[in-house]
Amino acid sequence: MNGLTLGCVYAVVALGYTMVYGIVQLINFAHGEVVMIGCMVAFSVILALAPSGLPPLLIVGAGIFIAVPTCMAVGYAVERAAYRPLRQAPRLAALITAIGMSIVLQHLALLVWSRNIIAFPQIVELKLFYLGSSPATSAAISNVQITIILTSIAMMAGLLLLVHRTKLGIAMRATSQNPQVAGLMGIDINRVISATFVIGAGLGAVAGVMVGSYYGVAHYQMGFLLGLKAFSAAVLGGIGNLAGAVLGGILMGLIESLGAGYVGDFTNVCLLDKVLPGFTEVCERSPNASLFGSNYKDVYAFIVLILVLVFRPSGLLGERVGDRA
Amino acid sequence: MGALAALRADPRLKWVGFALIAIALVALPFALAAAGTAWVRITNLAILFVLLSLGLNIVVGFAGLLDLGYIAFYAVGAYVYALLASPHFGLHLPWWAILPICAAVACFFGVILGAPTLKLRGDYLAIVTLGFGEIIRIFLNNLSEPFNLTNGPKGIATIDPVRFFGMDFGTVTSIGDIALSGTIKYYYFLLAVLLVVIVVNLRLQDSRIGRAWEAIREDEMAARAMGINTVHMKLLAFAMGASFGGVAGGMFSAIQGFISPESFILTESIMVLSMVVLGGMGNIWGVILGAVLLSFVPEILRYTVEPVQRMLFGRSLIDPEVIRMLLFGLAMVLMMLFRPAGLLPSPVRNRELRTGRDDDDDD
Amino acid sequence: MNRSTKLALAVALALGVAACGKEEPKPAPKAAAPAGVTVTIAHAGPLTGSIAHLGKDDENGTALAVAQANDKKLVIGGMPVTFKMTSEDDQADPKTGTTVAQKLVDAKVAAVIGHLNSGVTIPASEIYTKAGIPVISGAATNPTLTERGLKGVFRTVGRDDQQGPAIAAYIASDLKAKKVAILDDKTAYGEGLANEVEKALKAAKVSVVTRERVTDKETDFKAVLTKVKSRGPDVIFHGGMDATGGPMLKQARELGIKAAFAFGDGACTDEMSKLAGAAAEGLICSQAGLPAEAASKEFLDAFKAKYGDVKQYAPYFYDATLAVIEAMKKANSTDPAKFGPEIYNVSFTGATGKVEFDAKGDRKDAEITIFRLKDGNIKPLAVVKNGVSTPFGQAAEAAKPAEAAKPAAPKK
């Protein structure tokens, strides 16, 4: 269940990466930071409104309502100031700019919200639902988790509708296939690209609020690792492919949760003792030690990424594209 | 203009210039030590960063492959030195045996990283190397169990200092009237290593390999069509860059005497990258300039930002560290936007520009 | 050709930069020094960066001790002595730490009170000892610091391996735990502490059902906690700071884990109730030394009047400074070579109780206090000394008379 919730968050963030990548072939390193800013803005708003006695749902709604436009503005500004002038420049230049942007945003956020871990206010009361008879042993799912999963599904559906049913969506797909030709067909490419960044940032903002309320804490550096994992998820699913991003995100969440939980058990030294010689002494000394415990949790995402890139660079659902570098 | 060019081309003047620089570099630590040995130590760290930047420059500047996990090789070098010359395993090999091992092991990791990723496009490579850097750090932090290889987050302490013909770099030696403190000895040692690295870099740049890298950077397809084995060449770039990083890491271990995984975080990779970008990718002198400038930034900020803020607002509002990171980030963005070739652009670009025009001021 | 001019330019720039910096760091020290000697005691710690507030707290502790010593108008070696504190910022970074250490050595300070982080103190202390300058940390708890056989390295705070057994003893005897799960944040501090707790619990025949690790940057503990839950522990111990401890506790309750939580001093702060909300109620945690409430009232009043509330380690830095001054009095000299060895022999009652060092430079039988978080604040519960816990009220009573009888009456 945790894996699924986490996966939904990854999926929403991965959508932001994949949309941008699909259109301008740029890894928007700053996307993770946009998610973080969304979380922080919502946090500030909720904190400001919390004592007012308004109904909790309304307060959370207000938080999202303000966070989304803020992130959209940030996304737009970043695209306009840093990426647009470099659209014709070598890829290396755009990448370096993206990394630079990510650092700048991170530290600007640090200036605004300080570097302390801040507690995300819990204003919606937490309810636990047990998926079994006894609370002590069975898995639990909370109302927050259910909300996150439902919201993600709604947003993904909305995005798919947007891309496949609206005029803007058609323009976006056209631009991603061939910007020059799309331009000739009368599509304002700049507008479409800006719109992509803005929509991606909006999704990121909602994802930020979800992450914040799920973990209960926010931090100015939270965006980086989250962004990296979401990007890996997008690659896993097939970059540029929306359904792929969703699938990749959910898989990534599951891999990480299960990996942290169970790989440690499989590589327990006492278990290895039965297969390989030489572990007996270690097993007696520390029976709980394992070769790859939960401390390697962050490694799994990267290993998945590397494996996918080596064996199937187009991802699970991606169509084979020629090398455009 | 022409007269100046003639003057500049005078070979005697060139040697005078070299001699002046050499004297300045030899005298530098004593001048700095007068202001405080701390400044020599800062200079030593700056030289380490120059070494790192030069190594990364091979990968990013020459071959055009964006490596965001470069600090991993530095970490590998540092740990190799620490493991082979500390009480942790009870090994105490001499430095001249260890430094080549540092380079070799780092080179090996460079190839491990390079091999599976070379077929990838530039931006995938960036993110894979980033992941690789993190993986190395996580492993260093965790390999204390079940077998204690790296001593985990506690780090490795009491690493042997460099010993040179019975001269211990950890202590003060007196030659005649001149007292050489450990830091000054390290300064000369680093300077010597740096010279070797610069010479290797210069030779590489003008060699067949260097030109092959340049070709790959400009257009990989065309390079392959011209008969360059792009996979070998890219692998070589990774391996060379990594070995320089490994040597720098070994030196860091020896100077510092204590290392722990927290010295090898992603920020360090980004710092080295911004040094390369600021100075000018692909230009050795530019990269050196960038590294020197940016490694002195924290020290400059320490004496400017803090007191100024205290004077203006009565307390410190913005941490110098935040300003430093903002500067690093902005350096990358602004350089790419306005001066993509860096402060000192690569001579190749100059050459390219010059061949476009009439060659009138070129003798 | 071109290149050599460029190199010259680079060198000139480098020199220029160095020269710029050179002139500024001298704020004309000996302005109005009275006849006698001025002795500089240095404080070093993170004054900027993420734990700057703690570094500042330590600096205040040191400054208070220096100011009080000046008020006493001490005469050492027949000369009236004025103490002066200089403070350097190590940014909690080992590299900067060694640079700063070199600066202090250059400035020929008499002793260094610092640093805060073990990772910074360890490499820096090598530079100090080489220069013959004693260094006393009031916060570095990593055992390695004093295990390297260096002379002149001290700490006034308990080591991780003193604190670990204490909290383990409390978990085993007072909480009567049968099954304990141990987590840590994979930092030198967290892992060191958790290892000691594990060792002590095993010795006490308490079963350690699982040993998990997270990182100090982590915010998602649900996967690990799900595994922990499946092992059904009575008590969960986490070696880490409040930044990971708070969210972990909160998420554990969200997963329906009912086990009691125990932490070391890093998560023994009121901050926990902010980070974990209602879930923080009832957590158990330990701090090295006597709690701030039990620190000498004299110190607390003086500190509060000058700087406000004590954050964490200020009393230890205060005592570290006192130890240096005591040693100077004992040796009747302000020369580090003379008073340095005397630090091993000092014995006085400071803000954190009796201060004496063993041959390694560690504090002799340091007390560990166990706290419980109640109504949003941590409250002392018991004091553990030599593996025996006494309820806090009694322990405080026992400490009081010793403090009142000023000339360091033995406290046994």
Side-chain angles (χ1 to χ4, degrees):
Chain A
M1 269 308 122
N2 300 317
L4 193 61
T5 321
L6 191 60
C8 283
V9 174
Y10 283 157
V12 174
V13 182
L15 282 174
Y17 277 104
T18 223
M19 278 171 61
V20 168
Y21 194 90
I23 288 198
V24 286
Q25 273 86 46
L26 168 75
I27 299 177
N28 183 8
F29 273 97
H31 190 60
E33 268 55 55
V34 171
V35 175
M36 175 268 295
I37 291 176
C39 180
M40 292 299 208
V41 170
F43 156 79
S44 301
V45 172
I46 294 176
L47 205 64
L49 290 181
S52 69
L54 292 168
L57 274 179
L58 196 71
I59 297 179
V60 177
I64 296 177
F65 191 73
I66 296 178
V68 170
T70 314
C71 285
M72 285 180 165
V74 171
Y76 179 75
V78 167
E79 195 272 333
R80 200 52 206 270
Y83 299 152
R84 188 176 294 183
L86 289 173
R87 209 171 290 153
Q88 305 307 324
R91 193 183 288 261
L92 194 62
L95 266 180
I96 292 175
T97 312
I99 297 163
M101 244 12 252
S102 149
I103 294 170
V104 170
L105 286 181
Q106 212 178 80
H107 287 85
L108 286 178
L110 190 159
L111 287 183
V112 178
W113 286 284
S114 93
R115 65 171 75 229
N116 297 330
I117 290 201
I118 47 185
F120 211 79
Q122 184 109 44
I123 49 173
V124 183
E125 201 193 329
L126 191 82
K127 285 198 192 71
L128 287 179
F129 304 100
Y130 292 100
L131 306 175
S133 46
S134 82
T137 53
S138 62
I141 185 166
S142 68
N143 50 352
V144 175
Q145 282 176 311
I146 295 173
T147 318
I148 289 176
I149 295 175
L150 291 181
T151 317
S152 324
I153 293 173
M155 284 200 306
M156 293 168 206
L159 186 70
L160 282 181
L161 274 181
L162 177 90
V163 170
H164 289 281
R165 290 279 182 276
T166 64
K167 225 173 163 178
L168 179 64
I170 296 170
M172 279 162 71
R173 282 185 291 148
T175 312
S176 77
Q177 277 177 2
N178 192 331
Q180 275 86 28
V181 176
L184 290 176
M185 302 306 280
I187 294 172
D188 183 349
I189 308 179
N190 281 337
R191 239 198 66 208
V192 171
I193 294 179
S194 292
T196 313
F197 270 88
V198 166
I199 295 170
L203 288 175
V206 181
V209 179
M210 296 197 298
V211 177
S213 47
Y214 183 44
Y215 295 144
V217 283
H219 186 228
Y220 79 102
Q221 279 181 329
M222 65 186 271
F224 197 83
L225 204 55
L226 180 74
L228 218 58
K229 288 177 183 169
F231 177 80
S232 306
V235 174
L236 173 63
I239 195 136
N241 182 316
L242 295 183
V246 174
L247 179 69
I250 292 172
L251 275 179
M252 190 60 92
L254 290 174
I255 291 172
E256 216 179 273
S257 291
L258 298 180
Y262 299 109
V263 174
D265 288 354
F266 289 135
T267 55
N268 185 290
V269 280
C270 296
L271 204 69
L272 289 175
D273 179 35
K274 299 187 179 89
V275 194
L276 293 166
F279 281 91
T280 322
E281 187 256 331
V282 188
C283 170
E284 277 161 9
R285 187 157 38 89
S286 43
N288 286 317
S290 43
L291 273 189
F292 297 100
S294 45
N295 37 339
Y296 287 96
K297 180 172 155 249
D298 292 338
V299 169
Y300 301 128
F302 297 126
I303 291 180
V304 168
L305 176 69
I306 293 174
L307 290 180
V308 171
L309 288 177
V310 172
F311 292 109
R312 197 179 156 85
S314 52
L316 294 177
L317 295 185
E319 59 268 49
R320 276 222 167 296
V321 276
D323 192 333
R324 274 193 252 172
Chain B
M1 195 69 199
L4 190 64
L7 198 67
R8 288 167 88 198
D10 189 335
R12 275 171 303 173
L13 208 65
K14 186 170 162 179
W15 287 112
V16 172
F18 273 132
L20 280 177
I21 292 166
I23 293 170
L25 285 177
V26 170
L28 182 65
F30 293 99
L32 289 175
T37 316
W39 287 102
V40 185
R41 196 171 277 271
I42 294 167
T43 313
N44 286 351
L45 285 177
I47 299 181
L48 272 180
F49 273 114
V50 172
L51 284 176
L52 280 177
S53 309
L54 284 173
L56 182 62
N57 183 44
I58 295 183
V59 187
V60 178
F62 289 172
L65 306 163
L66 187 54
D67 184 347
L68 293 181
Y70 187 68
I71 213 73
F73 306 125
Y74 184 59
V76 166
Y79 267 92
V80 168
Y81 192 102
L83 293 178
L84 295 179
S86 77
H88 183 57
F89 284 147
L91 292 170
H92 295 281
L93 300 184
W95 64 271
W96 46 262
I98 302 176
L99 282 188
I101 302 177
C102 291
V105 176
C107 171
F108 172 69
F109 275 92
V111 174
I112 288 192
L113 168 66
T117 51
L118 284 180
K119 280 181 289 179
L120 302 174
R121 292 213 287 246
D123 31 14
Y124 281 149
L125 186 71
I127 209 130
V128 169
T129 48
L130 201 162
F132 177 77
E134 283 294 283
I135 289 178
I136 292 277
R137 191 183 58 80
I138 293 173
F139 269 82
L140 288 178
N141 208 16
N142 286 324
L143 281 180
S144 54
E145 231 207 5
F147 303 105
N148 191 353
L149 180 65
T150 62
N151 211 19
K154 284 198 281 299
I156 298 177
T158 43
I159 301 167
D160 298 348
V162 169
R163 284 191 188 78
F164 204 64
F165 296 119
M167 196 161 81
D168 188 334
F169 275 46
T171 55
V172 182
T173 327
S174 299
I175 301 174
D177 287 341
I178 310 163
L180 288 173
S181 68
T183 11
I184 292 185
K185 279 180 276 183
Y186 274 120
Y187 169 82
Y188 288 122
F189 190 38
L190 281 167
L191 201 63
V193 175
L194 179 63
L195 277 182
V196 173
V197 170
I198 291 179
V199 170
V200 171
N201 264 288
L202 286 174
R203 303 305 302 159
L204 268 178
Q205 192 177 26
D206 295 332
S207 71
R208 250 174 59 142
I209 301 172
R211 282 197 298 276
W213 283 337
E214 209 176 281
I216 293 174
R217 182 185 65 201
E218 298 305 327
D219 190 336
E220 193 175 333
M221 298 271 207
R224 204 180 311 159
M226 298 307 285
I228 294 173
N229 186 337
T230 53
V231 171
H232 277 186
M233 281 301 156
K234 282 173 155 183
L235 216 51
L236 191 63
F238 261 104
M240 300 282 304
S243 352
F244 286 141
V247 171
M251 307 284 306
F252 176 70
S253 255
I255 295 176
Q256 200 71 353
F258 169 81
I259 53 165
S260 63
E262 62 188 321
S263 295
F264 309 105
I265 49 175
L266 180 70
T267 319
E268 305 277 320
S269 284
I270 307 253
M271 256 169 76
V272 179
L273 180 67
S274 45
M275 288 169 183
V276 174
V277 170
L278 178 73
M281 283 180 283
N283 180 16
I284 293 167
W285 304 117
V287 168
I288 294 176
L289 174 67
V292 169
L293 282 181
L294 286 189
S295 31
F296 279 104
V297 159
E299 289 307 314
I300 297 168
L301 289 180
R302 182 193 288 260
Y303 293 114
T304 52
V305 175
E306 275 273 301
V308 167
Q309 286 191 51
R310 266 181 220 289
M311 220 162 62
L312 290 179
F313 312 110
R315 67 198 176 95
S316 171
L317 289 177
I318 304 176
D319 261 7
E321 197 207 330
V322 180
I323 299 179
R324 177 172 62 128
M325 287 315 292
L326 275 177
L327 273 181
F328 282 139
L330 279 178
M332 287 202 263
V333 176
L334 297 180
M335 289 311 281
M336 282 302 114
L337 288 177
F338 300 111
R339 209 182 152 93
L343 287 179
L344 292 182
S346 137
V348 180
R349 278 182 186 263
N350 275 349
R351 205 193 304 155
E352 282 161 4
L353 287 173
R354 229 181 290 167
T355 43
R357 290 201 318 261
D358 275 339
D359 267 355
D360 54 7
D361 66 357
D362 202 3
D363 220 23
Chain C
M1 176 64 247
N2 239 339
R3 288 198 192 113
S4 68
T5 46
K6 277 173 190 164
L7 182 60
L9 188 76
V11 170
L13 255 167
L15 280 171
V17 166
C20 285
K22 228 185 307 185
E23 285 149 21
E24 279 152 80
K26 288 188 182 147
K30 284 165 213 148
V37 274
T38 304
V39 176
T40 311
I41 293 180
H43 163 262
L47 300 177
T48 62
S50 58
I51 48 172
H53 57 289
L54 294 180
K56 201 73 204 157
D57 188 43
D58 302 345
E59 189 189 72
N60 290 342
T62 312
L64 182 66
V66 166
Q68 288 182 350
N70 280 337
D71 290 345
K72 284 187 194 142
K73 305 240 182 313
L74 291 174
V75 176
I76 292 174
M79 299 268 265
V81 175
T82 315
F83 293 100
K84 192 168 111 342
M85 185 193 75
T86 101
S87 194
E88 285 285 351
D89 175 18
D90 64 26
Q91 299 170 355
D93 169 42
K95 275 205 301 286
T96 316
T98 51
T99 310
V100 161
Q102 189 68 56
K103 264 186 202 161
L104 293 175
V105 169
D106 291 347
K108 299 204 168 44
V109 299
V112 177
I113 313 299
H115 302 215
L116 199 162
N117 312 66
S118 297
V120 181
T121 316
I122 292 170
S125 58
E126 268 183 52
I127 295 172
Y128 298 130
T129 48
K130 252 172 217 154
I133 296 174
V135 49
I136 309 185
S137 172
T141 50
N142 186 335
T144 313
L145 177 65
T146 47
E147 291 288 337
R148 293 167 302 161
L150 291 177
K151 278 281 156 211
V153 181
F154 305 86
R155 65 177 126 211
T156 48
V157 72
R159 296 157 47 127
D160 291 338
D161 47 4
Q162 290 171 327
Q163 198 184 140
I167 182 120
Y170 190 82
I171 291 173
S173 62
D174 290 49
L175 294 182
K176 307 219 177 340
K178 296 272 171 309
K179 293 197 279 181
V180 179
I182 298 181
L183 294 98
D184 70 62
D185 67 355
K186 215 46 198 171
T187 60
Y189 159 75
E191 191 189 49
L193 184 58
N195 282 349
E196 294 305 328
V197 171
E198 185 175 2
K199 226 187 277 168
L201 281 178
K202 277 183 183 156
K205 300 273 181 292
V206 176
S207 116
V208 175
V209 287
T210 184
R211 178 70 199 268
E212 297 297 324
R213 295 176 166 83
V214 296
T215 72
D216 56 335
K217 301 255 172 351
E218 188 90 59
T219 49
D220 172 20
F221 305 105
K222 293 205 172 167
V224 169
L225 287 170
T226 307
K227 184 176 169 192
V228 167
K229 187 184 177 190
S230 70
R231 304 289 158 93
D234 318 319
V235 174
I236 299 172
F237 177 83
H238 172 58
M241 307 300 286
D242 46 15
T244 49
M248 177 183 288
L249 185 47
K250 188 174 173 194
Q251 290 172 23
R253 298 294 180 238
E254 282 172 20
L255 288 172
I257 295 177
K258 300 271 190 309
F261 263 84
F263 299 93
D265 58 349
C268 209
T269 60
D270 293 343
E271 193 70 14
M272 288 295 282
S273 66
K274 269 189 232 154
L275 289 168
E281 280 301 296
L283 70 85
I284 302 287
C285 62
S286 68
Q287 272 184 12
L290 288 168
E293 291 97 312
S296 83
K297 185 135 173 16
E298 230 174 288
F299 165 79
L300 283 180
D301 291 346
F303 193 89
K304 201 158 188 166
K306 240 176 154 167
Y307 310 105
D309 280 326
V310 172
K311 298 245 171 30
Q312 200 166 5
Y313 291 115
Y316 297 96
F317 278 75
Y318 175 84
D319 279 358
T321 319
L322 287 191
V324 167
I325 295 168
E326 276 307 304
M328 285 180 183
K329 282 199 263 181
K330 249 177 133 75
N332 205 17
S333 161
T334 55
D335 177 8
K338 297 226 176 70
F339 77 79
E342 283 298 329
I343 300 180
Y344 288 99
N345 304 326
V346 296
S347 169
F348 65 98
T349 306
T352 58
K354 191 163 184 191
V355 179
E356 278 177 345
F357 298 102
D358 65 11
K360 285 180 194 157
D362 288 323
R363 183 91 175 256
K364 268 189 198 161
D365 37 70
E367 293 99 338
I368 310 287
T369 310
I370 309 290
F371 292 81
R372 182 191 290 279
L373 194 133
K374 209 164 164 249
D375 305 326
N377 291 307
I378 53 165
K379 303 258 161 62
L381 203 61
V383 174
V384 183
K385 197 171 175 181
N386 302 330
V388 183
S389 76
T390 343
F392 175 65
Q394 293 173 23
E397 284 307 309
K400 284 258 159 66
E403 219 148 85
K406 200 60 213 187
K411 216 179 0 168
K412 279 272 157 82

